[in-house]
Amino acid sequence: MPQLEIAADGFRLDDRPFRIISGGLHYFRVHPEQWADRLHKARLLGLNTVETYVPWNLHAPRPGEFRLDGGLDLPRFLDLAAAEGLHVLLRPGPYICAEWDGGGLPSWLLTDEDIELRSRDPRYLKSVDEYLGSLLPAVLPYLSTRGGPIVAVQLENEYGAYGDDRGYLTDLVALLDRHGVDVPLFTCDQPSDLGRGGLDGVLRTVNFGSRVDSGLAELRKHQPTGPLMCSEFWIGWFDRWGGIHVTRSVADAAADLDRLLAAGASVNIYMFHGGTNFGFTNGANDKGAYRPTVTSYDYDSLLDEAGDPTAKYAAFREVIARYAPVPDEPVPAPAPKLAPAVAELTTCAPLLDQAKLLGRAVLADRPLPMEQLGQSFGFVLYDTSLPDAGPTVLRVAEVRDRAQVFVDGQPVGVLERENREHTLAFRTPRRGARLTVLVENQGRVNYGQGIHDRKGLLGEVTVNGTAHGDWSSRPLPMDDPGVLSYAPYESVAPPVGPAFHRGHLDVEQPADGFIALDGWTKGNVWINGFALGRYWSRGPQTTLYVPGPVLRAGRNEITVLELHASTTRTVEFRGTPDLGLLED
């Protein structure tokens, strides 16, 4: 493959002028059986490059472990990109933001109480070194200097919005060099952060969604010569629970793309295809108030969540054709979708009664945070006995992020980090009653100083003003709800509180679809053991994307974890999504 050069007058490829026209496509947000389809549509758009982050936390779920299998088979993704003739911009972090849990930093880093992330803290840099030592041997054959598609590698990610320690960035350059990365490096920052986030000798690029001229002018102030590039041209945005579905008009986004390309700049469209925060992987923001991101990462991008070209795709293709060759091939029509269907859930398994099957409890004199339990995602179940009967006030210093409280198995209230709630009053029926607290990790903060985001009940916990000890902390990562014992509804009392509900859907021909949870309150959904993600009646999204490859011809198993209660025992399958109300 040709090699990218950074010259005073712009990029060059094989000593010829070259403009990067790229689109964001995160392999870990797309089912691996759909990678080839998405990459093909990238080429048909007129892109010559695709960009992807690398999520350290998924590849290294525990210290000393590294995965490159299934949906994390990055070499296979790179092979498919090369087969389409696409170059690759690789963004391995170590921090990626990406509206992803913890910005991609593994939760086990937080077992060190005072660790300083994204810094020269020796403990952090040692872990980064080990991460790169595990990742890069599989990636090096794909560098363009060795005949592969990767033409450039990003150094950190929007570091100027977090810190200004050039020594830290210099350390990362040295690590990448020592591990064999010999293609150009680049940084990316928003216009106001370019001074803090850049490093001499490393190409600076800028991120923005509008005000194209001023953004490029600010980049020129900090980098008088060399290529102009917008590494994240935001053409949409992400959603948060309780908000609205954010979109950007086709005409506005296309006009700004035209301005970018007319200025001679290179671009990475963020996102070409957003995909989905499957399972428990979404991140959160906290700029004074905690706001978790929804399951869908549709991002109002060029391909929708199911991978179908949108009106924005057609408009961008027209703009790109004014500046670069676009393949003279028809764009594929939208893929077939599931026919509408209703599936009845016929069995259930109460969570509190069977929690011991999902994780082993650890005894301590205080509730233990999720990270100390060796857990990244899911829930923690805390349990203790209450000393006295009568009026009781429970106070928790920090709830991370949502706590459902039960006394002798009966729900007595909820404490939410989002609402800054710390105290709950209830009546204890007897001395020695069981206090049970189910805490959900709703997504670690992925941006700003809040990334040191431990989960669970943190700090002092008091009962009627007295510090309370003797706690059981049980990790519930929800890796396999199939281990539970399900019983028919008619043979058990109606579940009170969190419960798993199971049923089946018969499918003649697997296809993409969407599952609607009308009448359900809050929880998670699995199909055939594949974790689709979270639902919440708070909205905005009311459907979850079901990738066609998750389904099989014949019977398909549906599992719903409902944390509160539902008014129905059915779920509905549809051919179209509902991502929520738009802003007026």
Side-chain angles (χ1 to χ4, degrees):
M1 295 286 282
Q3 297 180 34
L4 187 71
E5 300 173 38
I6 298 172
D9 59 350
F11 291 116
R12 300 185 74 81
L13 201 67
D14 272 2
D15 205 30
R16 296 179 180 178
F18 180 69
R19 187 208 300 261
I20 294 173
I21 303 178
S22 174
L25 174 59
H26 303 156
Y27 61 96
F28 47 93
R29 281 183 159 126
V30 180
H31 194 284
E33 291 186 32
Q34 297 171 326
W35 289 345
D37 171 79
R38 307 314 192 242
L39 289 163
H40 181 62
K41 290 169 181 171
R43 182 179 65 80
L44 293 184
L45 178 69
L47 303 184
N48 54 35
T49 306
V50 291
E51 163 269 316
T52 187
Y53 285 123
V54 180
W56 180 7
N57 59 350
L58 285 198
H59 284 284
R62 282 168 287 278
E65 180 179 335
F66 199 81
R67 297 182 51 200
L68 283 168
D69 60 325
L72 296 174
D73 190 349
L74 177 57
R76 176 172 172 262
F77 178 82
L78 297 172
D79 280 329
L80 291 170
E84 282 290 343
L86 294 166
H87 306 296
V88 174
L89 300 175
L90 192 71
R91 306 170 81 186
Y95 162 83
I96 64 172
C97 184
E99 290 73 59
W100 189 256
D101 184 89
L105 298 175
S107 63
W108 45 261
L109 290 171
L110 298 173
T111 57
D112 284 324
E113 286 291 330
D114 59 346
I115 192 169
E116 295 183 21
L117 304 176
R118 305 180 72 187
S119 80
R120 304 186 82 177
D121 185 324
R123 295 164 295 179
Y124 176 70
L125 287 179
K126 179 176 182 293
S127 295
V128 173
D129 188 17
E130 292 170 353
Y131 159 56
L132 295 176
S134 297
L135 171 70
L136 291 176
V139 168
L140 293 180
Y142 294 91
L143 300 182
S144 61
T145 48
R146 309 186 189 195
I150 300 173
V151 293
V153 170
Q154 184 174 291
L155 182 69
E156 241 268 357
N157 186 67
E158 290 192 331
Y159 178 68
Y162 183 82
D164 59 0
D165 185 356
R166 287 181 175 79
Y168 165 59
L169 296 179
T170 301
D171 289 344
L172 293 184
V173 170
L175 286 176
L176 289 169
D177 179 68
R178 185 161 63 80
H179 286 290
V181 174
D182 56 1
V183 296
L185 302 180
F186 65 98
T187 58
C188 75
D189 286 283
Q190 296 176 45
S192 60
D193 300 324
L194 283 163
R196 293 184 297 276
L199 189 67
D200 291 343
V202 175
L203 178 71
R204 285 177 168 90
T205 68
V206 65
N207 297 347
F208 53 71
S210 59
R211 302 180 62 192
V212 172
D213 294 340
S214 64
L216 294 178
E218 188 66 25
L219 177 59
R220 263 295 168 247
K221 281 172 56 178
H222 293 275
Q223 189 166 263
T225 63
L228 284 172
M229 180 164 180
C230 178
S231 279
E232 289 186 17
F233 172 50
W234 306 317
I235 65 166
W237 206 245
F238 56 92
D239 295 342
R240 66 171 181 87
W241 290 115
I244 58 166
H245 176 45
V246 182
T247 61
R248 183 180 180 187
S249 82
V250 172
D252 180 61
D256 274 343
L257 176 66
D258 196 30
R259 291 185 186 95
L260 254 176
L261 297 180
S266 289
V267 66
N268 177 57
I269 298 163
Y270 196 98
M271 297 288 296
F272 163 68
H273 174 48
T276 308
N277 297 314
F278 292 118
F280 299 90
T281 56
N282 65 276
N285 282 280
D286 192 340
K287 300 176 181 178
Y290 176 77
R291 298 287 187 259
T293 303
V294 303
T295 299
S296 171
Y297 201 66
D298 174 270
Y299 213 89
D300 197 30
S301 53
L302 304 187
L303 299 184
D304 65 19
E305 195 172 5
D308 292 328
T310 65
K312 199 171 283 184
Y313 181 103
F316 274 42
R317 197 169 191 242
E318 287 184 12
V319 172
I320 292 170
R322 298 171 196 157
Y323 301 93
V326 169
D328 185 19
E329 302 174 42
V331 176
K337 301 296 186 293
L338 284 177
V342 174
E344 184 177 2
L345 308 186
T346 57
T347 62
C348 69
L351 187 154
L352 299 184
D353 292 349
Q354 299 194 38
K356 62 182 180 296
L357 299 176
L358 296 169
R360 179 175 295 181
V362 178
L363 302 179
D365 61 357
R366 61 186 177 90
L368 298 178
M370 182 177 282
E371 294 74 22
Q372 288 191 17
L373 296 169
Q375 179 186 0
S376 295
F377 305 111
F379 301 77
V380 180
L381 189 66
Y382 298 105
D383 188 83
T384 190
S385 62
L386 291 168
D388 299 299
T392 304
V393 176
L394 172 70
R395 179 170 177 78
V396 182
E398 291 289 342
V399 175
R400 301 284 182 87
D401 301 304
R402 190 171 189 271
Q404 295 174 245
V405 183
F406 306 84
V407 175
D408 282 347
Q410 296 300 307
V412 296
V414 176
L415 296 173
E416 288 192 326
R417 173 184 183 181
E418 192 167 357
N419 295 330
R420 300 183 179 87
E421 295 168 341
H422 302 273
T423 305
L424 187 66
F426 51 85
R427 178 168 290 275
T428 301
R430 61 183 179 85
R431 182 177 183 179
R434 302 308 300 177
L435 173 67
T436 304
V437 185
L438 179 66
V439 179
E440 179 185 3
N441 165 9
Q442 294 192 116
R444 288 184 181 81
V445 172
N446 55 253
Y447 187 83
Q449 301 301 317
I451 57 174
H452 295 73
D453 192 11
R454 296 170 178 85
K455 298 301 185 181
L457 298 182
L458 308 184
E460 187 176 61
V461 179
T462 63
V463 175
N464 289 336
T466 302
H468 193 72
D470 191 21
W471 286 88
S472 160
S473 303
R474 188 184 301 274
L476 304 177
M478 303 301 182
D479 293 331
D480 183 14
V483 302
L484 301 174
S485 177
Y486 291 80
Y489 282 125
E490 55 269 19
S491 67
V492 296
V496 176
F500 292 86
H501 306 261
R502 177 161 288 177
H504 297 90
L505 176 73
D506 289 324
V507 172
E508 185 173 333
Q509 180 65 45
D512 288 343
F514 301 87
I515 186 169
L517 283 301
D518 298 350
W520 299 79
T521 305
K522 188 181 196 301
N524 301 76
V525 181
W526 292 258
I527 292 187
N528 296 329
F530 183 91
L532 296 183
R534 311 176 202 256
Y535 67 90
W536 199 352
S537 58
R538 183 173 291 184
Q541 75 175 104
T542 64
T543 58
L544 294 178
Y545 172 54
V546 182
V550 167
L551 299 168
R552 50 183 175 242
R555 176 150 290 199
N556 294 269
E557 182 179 79
I558 306 159
T559 303
V560 176
L561 168 60
E562 170 55 55
L563 296 172
H564 295 279
S566 66
T567 61
T568 180
R569 292 181 181 175
T570 63
V571 295
E572 182 183 350
F573 286 82
R574 301 173 182 170
T576 56
D578 182 354
L579 297 179
L581 296 174
L582 304 178
E583 189 173 25
D584 293 335

